[in-house]
Amino acid sequence: MKYYYENIGAVEILIAPTYLAVVIMFLYLISKKTLLNDPFNLIYFISISFLYTTILLVDVVTNIIPFFPDTILYTNIITDYNFDISNQPSEIFYFKLFATFFSWISLGSPFLYLFFNFLVNQIGILLYWKSWTNFRGERSVNIIQQRIYLIISALYPLSVVYSLTPLRESYFLCAFGLFLVGLTSKKKFNISIFVGLMLIYFFRKEIFFLSFALFLINVFFVRDKKISLKSLGAIGIMTPLLFSIINLLSIKILNIPISPIALSTFRNYQRIVYFESGMVYPVVDWNTWWSMFVDLPGLVIQFTVAPLPILVEIDYLNSTIYFLDAIFIIFLIAIILSNIKLIWENITWVSIMLLLLIPSSIFEYYITGAVRHRYFIFLMIIPLVAYVLEKLVTRRIKNDRNLFLNSLN
């Protein structure tokens, strides 16, 4: 039994249905602002809530969800309001600030708290869909796409893992989802984008400077939610200035200058800390940008399909859920690649993903860390998959109808 399940009592089990009902109610109310109106929405929230609750109860007995050592710290924060975090990073302070409310209404019970952690994670998923709706425009999305998105996001293995684990991943997903809503809105300066940026800084500083870069690119180079060839040329010309701004932020926030030698030193030092886990990336030797560029494809692929052994030999079957997640992502990518034209139609959305994916791959030095840190990026692929699948299904129905009509004639 995991550390945070040890003190579950009969009272918690008895009142859990009440918490579940509250979660379903809040999700349905929030869906009024984030989803297209559809009777399926309530069915979805009831179904997914009961499914995740079942998985939670099974995990109490069988430990099917991986155990993260960090959850000991987060559990102590949830259960002890006076827990000392003075020696912890600022992200832990902000987690406590936001989690205290849910901890209070959960009666200090990690088991009940996970219902609200699931709620926050689902809000993040709804915000991602809202940002996709903003990006495509309401006339270009439909109920079928939305249903596909909701079902796939519910089955996404990492959605299950981080919904039912007391970490800050759900909070960060919600923060980045809010930022995406602002980034894809008609107004380039709006409350969502600024609150989202602030929350991103609170929960994961290393993503803040990437998000800020997206904000700058959106303000100066994106017109009608598209990057034109002229804008790409302007970005190329302005790259030195953009690089200087991002480099300054990286030094200020992470204390890491963006240079091949500095990044190489950072990665190699961090891998020493985690070497005994057997889950670290190989040593890198980056003295030039070219040497980093040569390693980039392998790093991106390893980040994308971790824990599959691309750069390192590891027991990738040791964690079933992580392995399933890698297969899940490969399956989603295959669906998208089946229709390159639809990728080009959404090139700005894909470009946002790449701007997040490539630097994250360069910084990553820990295999299971890659699984954890790619969650918020690859959730962005699901609306695109839903878009592709809906177009394929619609085309198939149209072709079948034409064949049927032709047969009658």
Side-chain angles (χ1 to χ4, degrees):
M1 181 177 289
K2 294 186 178 71
Y3 174 75
Y4 43 90
Y5 292 147
E6 289 180 353
N7 296 316
I8 294 178
V11 174
E12 291 167 283
I13 300 297
L14 289 173
I15 64 176
T18 303
Y19 283 75
L20 185 62
V22 171
V23 166
I24 293 172
M25 179 189 70
F26 270 101
L27 285 175
Y28 185 67
L29 291 175
I30 293 169
S31 72
K32 297 290 187 180
K33 298 293 185 180
T34 54
L35 298 179
L36 302 176
N37 187 29
D38 180 13
F40 174 80
N41 295 345
L42 182 57
I43 297 172
Y44 166 78
F45 292 131
I46 293 173
S47 301
I48 190 65
S49 297
F50 275 98
L51 173 63
Y52 275 49
T53 300
T54 301
I55 295 173
L56 175 61
L57 294 173
V58 171
D59 184 52
V60 172
V61 179
T62 65
N63 292 320
I64 60 171
I65 295 175
F67 172 73
F68 301 90
D70 290 355
T71 56
I72 296 176
L73 170 63
Y74 289 99
T75 301
N76 288 333
I77 292 172
I78 294 167
T79 55
D80 183 1
Y81 303 132
N82 298 316
F83 184 72
D84 183 18
I85 58 170
S86 58
N87 61 339
Q88 298 293 333
S90 60
E91 292 91 338
I92 302 300
F93 168 79
Y94 292 118
F95 170 82
K96 181 177 182 180
L97 187 66
F98 285 87
T100 295
F101 171 73
F102 291 120
S103 174
W104 178 74
I105 59 179
S106 301
L107 309 178
S109 164
F111 175 76
L112 295 177
Y113 169 85
L114 288 177
F115 285 91
F116 295 104
N117 192 66
F118 162 74
L119 171 64
V120 174
N121 195 80
Q122 283 295 308
I123 292 174
I125 288 172
L126 298 183
L127 289 172
Y128 270 62
W129 176 256
K130 178 62 177 176
S131 66
W132 173 257
T133 304
N134 288 346
F135 173 74
R136 289 296 310 176
E138 289 195 6
R139 293 184 179 181
S140 296
V141 296
N142 56 47
I143 298 299
I144 296 176
Q145 290 178 30
Q146 181 173 280
R147 291 181 181 183
I148 294 173
Y149 169 78
L150 291 174
I151 292 171
I152 294 178
S153 64
L155 298 177
Y156 188 6
L158 290 189
S159 290
V160 178
V161 170
Y162 296 124
S163 290
L164 304 179
T165 304
L167 293 169
R168 67 175 187 269
E169 303 309 311
S170 293
Y171 292 89
F172 176 74
L173 186 75
C174 200
F176 195 81
L178 187 62
F179 168 74
L180 272 183
V181 169
L183 191 71
T184 54
S185 296
K186 292 180 179 179
K187 294 181 180 179
K188 293 183 181 291
F189 299 93
N190 55 76
I191 189 67
S192 293
I193 202 167
F194 290 118
V195 173
L197 278 171
M198 179 180 67
L199 293 175
I200 289 170
Y201 180 81
F202 286 168
F203 294 123
R204 190 173 292 168
K205 290 182 179 179
E206 62 270 23
I207 303 301
F208 175 80
F209 67 93
L210 295 177
S211 302
F212 191 75
L214 285 170
F215 168 68
L216 293 178
I217 292 171
N218 183 59
V219 169
F220 293 108
F221 304 112
V222 176
R223 296 292 178 269
D224 298 323
K225 301 172 187 174
K226 294 182 180 180
I227 300 178
S228 64
L229 293 177
K230 183 185 294 186
S231 294
L232 288 175
I235 292 175
I237 295 172
M238 296 292 289
T239 293
L241 177 59
L242 289 171
F243 177 82
S244 298
I245 294 172
I246 301 307
N247 185 51
L248 182 63
L249 287 173
S250 181
I251 294 172
K252 184 70 174 178
I253 296 172
L254 304 177
N255 199 30
I256 304 172
I258 301 178
S259 71
I261 294 176
L263 290 171
S264 176
T265 301
F266 167 76
R267 287 172 54 89
N268 291 336
Y269 173 77
Q270 293 295 330
R271 71 181 297 280
I272 292 174
V273 177
Y274 293 94
F275 183 78
E276 292 185 359
S277 69
M279 301 293 283
V280 292
Y281 280 64
V283 171
V284 296
D285 183 17
W286 296 336
N287 295 311
T288 64
W289 289 108
W290 175 251
S291 60
M292 181 187 294
F293 179 77
V294 170
D295 286 348
L296 185 58
L299 292 173
V300 170
I301 295 172
Q302 181 65 84
F303 186 84
T304 299
V305 300
L308 299 184
I310 305 300
L311 300 177
V312 290
E313 288 294 332
I314 57 176
D315 182 10
Y316 59 90
L317 294 176
N318 187 46
S319 175
T320 304
I321 289 186
Y322 284 173
F323 172 72
L324 291 176
D325 188 74
I327 300 302
F328 188 85
I329 287 177
I330 292 172
F331 178 67
L332 296 184
I333 292 174
I335 291 174
I336 291 177
L337 293 179
S338 68
N339 198 322
I340 300 297
K341 180 182 177 181
L342 295 182
I343 295 179
W344 183 250
E345 289 179 9
N346 300 281
I347 192 62
T348 304
W349 184 267
V350 175
S351 297
I352 294 172
M353 288 186 60
L354 292 177
L355 188 60
L356 296 166
L357 176 63
I358 293 173
S360 296
S361 301
I362 292 173
F363 271 89
E364 192 57 64
Y365 51 85
Y366 191 44
I367 298 298
T368 56
V371 178
R372 184 171 173 178
H373 297 150
R374 74 181 179 217
Y375 177 38
F376 81 102
I377 301 174
F378 281 94
L379 189 63
M380 286 185 67
I381 207 175
I382 300 180
L384 192 56
V385 169
Y387 183 77
V388 171
L389 287 177
E390 187 271 331
K391 296 300 180 185
L392 292 175
V393 170
T394 302
R395 186 184 306 165
R396 180 64 181 271
I397 292 174
K398 184 178 179 179
N399 290 338
D400 289 346
R401 183 179 62 185
N402 289 340
L403 288 173
F404 176 73
L405 292 175
N406 290 335
S407 67
L408 293 178
N409 295 330

